[in-house]
Amino acid sequence: EIVLTQSPATLSLSPGERATLSCRASQSVSRYLAWYQQKPGQAPRLLIYDASNRATGIPARFSGRGSGTDFTLTISSLEPEDFAVYYCQHRSNWPTFGQGTRLEIK
Amino acid sequence: QVRLQESGPGLVKPSQTLSLTCTVSGGSISSGSYYWSWIRQPAGKGLEWIGRIYTTGSTNYNPSLKSRVTISIDTSKNQFSLKLSSVTATDMAVYYCARGNPYCTGSSCLINWFDPWGQGTLVTVSS
């Protein structure tokens, strides 16, 4: 089983700042990693797939990069609606998710 | 635009069976090569994949839940369903249905990502 570890657990930033979230896999997942955003009371929403491809309708301020075991999700300039919990997930016969990073307003 | 909607009892007694249905609208559940999945999230915690089903009825389950889970599909109703038996308090969660994008090589298929998701339904386990 591949374990995904996200860091930091909580990230406190202000609107307009740049956010960098990390997801590390316990073994290589090549480029097959997805990122989701979840706001309170809502279902997760797909942001990024295959490490760097934005899903339909996702703003350009969201970007992903990485391969192998280390991945990052970057939000170039935080908007008020970006404060949420973010999860990573890898391609698998038995998909698992990281434990999440909470992005909160400083 | 495909939409998913969960339905079912919000309260289940301990030791009984949890039953939920996901209705797919805006497209046929049989079109495309998707893996229709159930995912759950206990309050304040992370996401756990429960299992998936293909339109042929082929299923795959999380090993930690496999002995208690059954997922079925009714293509005529554009629905798929989850049954989880012998529930306990640890099964209390928001249950989501989602469409899984597959990657297949030969007879082996993996799930790439999930999109879209249903809005989720809270299931409480209590007597």
Side-chain angles (χ1 to χ4, degrees), chain A residues 9-75:
Chain A
T10 303
L11 184 58
S12 299
L13 294 171
S14 300
E17 290 193 292
R18 181 184 187 91
T20 302
L21 288 67
S22 174
C23 178
R24 176 164 290 179
S26 58
Q27 58 186 278
S28 177
V29 296
S30 186
R31 290 184 54 80
Y32 306 122
L33 191 95
W35 289 93
Y36 301 85
Q37 176 194 66
Q38 186 178 33
K39 298 179 181 180
Q42 296 185 18
R45 176 176 70 147
L46 178 68
L47 296 176
I48 300 286
Y49 64 92
D50 289 349
S52 61
N53 296 300
R54 277 190 303 276
T56 302
I58 301 303
R61 64 181 182 273
F62 290 91
S63 64
R65 63 181 299 168
S67 66
T69 60
D70 291 304
F71 299 84
T72 57
L73 173 70
T74 299
I75 310 171

Side-chain angles (χ1 to χ4, degrees), chain B residues 51-107:
Chain B
R52 72 180 197 206
I53 190 166
Y54 189 56
T55 52
T56 58
S58 171
T59 55
N60 193 37
Y61 302 131
N62 186 323
S64 69
L65 298 168
K66 188 175 182 178
S67 64
R68 299 193 292 129
V69 173
T70 302
I71 298 176
S72 59
I73 193 166
D74 187 336
T75 56
S76 67
K77 294 183 179 179
N78 236 29
Q79 295 176 335
F80 63 106
S81 298
L82 168 70
K83 291 188 185 299
L84 180 65
S85 63
S86 305
V87 299
T88 69
T90 59
D91 295 311
M92 285 182 53
V94 174
Y95 284 74
Y96 297 100
C97 56
R99 186 178 71 177
N101 180 282
Y103 171 78
C104 297
T105 55
S107 60

Side-chain angles (χ1 to χ4, degrees), chain A residues 32 34 36 38 41-46 48-50 55 87 89-99 102, chain B residues 39 41 44-49 52 60-64 96 103 109-115 117-120:
Chain A
Y32 306 122
Y36 301 85
Q38 186 178 33
Q42 296 185 18
R45 176 176 70 147
L46 178 68
I48 300 286
Y49 64 92
D50 289 349
Y87 294 96
Q89 172 246 321
H90 72 95
R91 170 199 284 185
S92 177
N93 188 42
W94 170 20
T96 58
F97 298 83
Q99 83 280 15
R102 180 178 303 279
Chain B
I39 297 160
Q41 184 174 37
K45 296 188 178 181
L47 299 159
E48 179 181 36
W49 177 76
R52 72 180 197 206
N60 193 37
Y61 302 131
N62 186 323
S64 69
Y96 297 100
Y103 171 78
C109 289
L110 310 175
I111 294 182
N112 283 315
W113 60 84
F114 299 99
D115 180 56
W117 297 57
Q119 66 183 30

